Amino acid sequence: MAELLTVDDPDDPRLSDYTDLTDVQLRRRREPAEGLFIAEGEKVIRRARNAGYAMRSMMLTAKWFDVMRDVIDEERAPVYAVTPELAERVTGYHVHRGALAAMGRRPLPTVDALLAPAQGDVRRVAVFEDMVDHANLGAAFRNAAALAERVDAVLLTPRCADPLYRRAVKVSMGSVFHVPWTRLESWPQDLTSLRAAGFTTAALCLSDRSITLDALAARQDGKLALLFGTEGDGLTPQALASADLHVRIPMDAGVDSLNVAAASAVAFYATRVTRA
């Protein structure tokens, strides 16, 4: 059972995991280097624990003591009791959800391990190239987990945003804990690993050689990897040149494309696999 430890000094070193949460650049560097991420809100904290992530500590305001009592009773990690004012001074913003937990990261699998037969029947993979917006990335993970038969794995290029950054986790509603993912090391050369594993690679884009999403779905590829580019610019020329197929979502009413998170939802659903 964890003990509730009252902290009244915002500079208390025990709260160091929670400092400057609004400094995106600092947290993006610091959290992976220190092997931690922040789970915000009751549901996300519970989902992180249920997914097997170890808790380093929890920081709660008084209104959450009873709500999180079962977690407090089950945990050995310290639980810091703070006022809302102190929480805001430490984190840099008004923590309206009132419950934060510092969780330990796990080592990422290799691409080959993620796609290995031992992981089960991996038939649908999403690849995100240089997606830097945490909200879009979190929404895309939520789409991957939720739509019909879920996407089996997500691959991220080296410059992609961090799925375990606080905003991405919150927008995904904890889906980042349940969809297997890893980060590619060499892009787009890593597409060879997908081809070696039997995947057709399909780039979502507007190009002269693109087929419609309906046409892609009609192919019923046994193994399919869907490639999505960054917000605004889309996929790089190198990625487009490396893909087996170019695919477009037909637009109307003068709209040329969808937001990347919305496009992923449409594509995941259209190419879903019905499993026995």
Side-chain angles (χ1 to χ4, degrees):
M1 177 188 297
E3 180 184 358
L4 275 171
L5 305 170
T6 300
V7 179
D8 54 17
D9 180 2
D11 296 319
D12 191 311
R14 291 176 295 178
L15 301 182
S16 62
D17 282 352
Y18 304 97
T19 57
D20 301 317
L21 294 187
T22 58
D23 189 333
V24 178
Q25 294 305 316
L26 171 65
R27 299 300 302 199
R28 284 186 68 181
R29 294 192 304 271
R30 179 187 170 193
E31 291 183 11
E34 296 183 14
L36 74 102
F37 69 91
I38 300 298
E40 180 178 9
E42 177 202 0
K43 288 187 175 66
V44 171
I45 292 171
R46 292 182 184 279
R47 288 170 183 171
R49 293 180 72 245
N50 290 341
Y53 288 92
M55 184 179 290
R56 292 161 58 121
S57 69
M58 200 159 43
M59 186 172 75
L60 302 177
T61 56
K63 65 180 280 188
W64 291 96
F65 294 168
D66 289 341
V67 175
M68 302 298 291
R69 174 53 59 185
D70 61 317
V71 177
I72 295 170
D73 290 345
E74 293 170 5
E75 278 291 340
R76 294 182 179 274
V79 180
Y80 303 119
V82 299
T83 64
E85 294 75 21
L86 188 136
E88 183 169 353
R89 290 181 65 185
V90 171
T91 62
Y93 72 103
H94 175 59
V95 187
H96 68 280
R97 293 178 183 267
L100 294 171
M103 312 294 294
R105 292 184 181 235
R106 297 195 295 240
L108 291 177
T110 65
V111 176
D112 289 343
L114 200 64
L115 302 179
Q119 301 303 317
D121 189 14
V122 179
R123 299 177 62 185
R124 292 294 180 266
V125 172
V127 182
F128 295 111
E129 181 189 43
D130 300 350
M131 188 186 290
V132 297
D133 185 282
H134 290 97
N136 278 338
L137 189 60
F141 264 88
R142 190 171 182 179
N143 296 338
L147 290 167
E149 297 290 343
R150 79 174 194 188
V151 171
D152 299 301
V154 170
L155 303 178
L156 306 176
T157 62
R159 290 185 292 185
C160 260
D162 180 10
L164 294 181
Y165 178 68
R166 177 176 56 89
R167 176 140 178 81
V169 171
K170 184 165 67 172
V171 172
S172 81
M173 288 301 295
S175 296
V176 296
F177 306 139
H178 302 291
V179 179
W181 66 276
T182 195
R183 198 173 286 276
L184 300 166
E185 296 182 357
S186 181
W187 177 257
Q189 292 83 354
D190 286 309
L191 286 176
T192 57
S193 296
L194 287 167
R195 290 199 183 90
F199 284 86
T200 298
T201 56
L204 274 291
C205 64
L206 300 173
S207 80
D208 293 339
R209 55 175 272 204
S210 64
I211 63 174
T212 67
L213 183 59
D214 285 341
L216 175 66
R219 289 167 49 100
Q220 297 185 331
D221 289 278
K223 292 186 174 184
L224 180 65
L226 297 168
L227 281 56
F228 302 89
T230 188
E231 302 84 355
D233 293 334
L235 289 160
T236 60
Q238 294 84 357
L240 292 173
S242 300
D244 297 319
L245 300 170
H246 290 184
V247 180
R248 70 182 184 277
I249 300 173
M251 297 283 103
D252 203 350
V255 178
D256 61 353
S257 64
L258 296 174
N259 164 277
V260 63
S264 72
V266 174
F268 295 159
Y269 187 80
T271 59
R272 66 194 183 279
V273 175
T274 302
R275 304 172 198 264

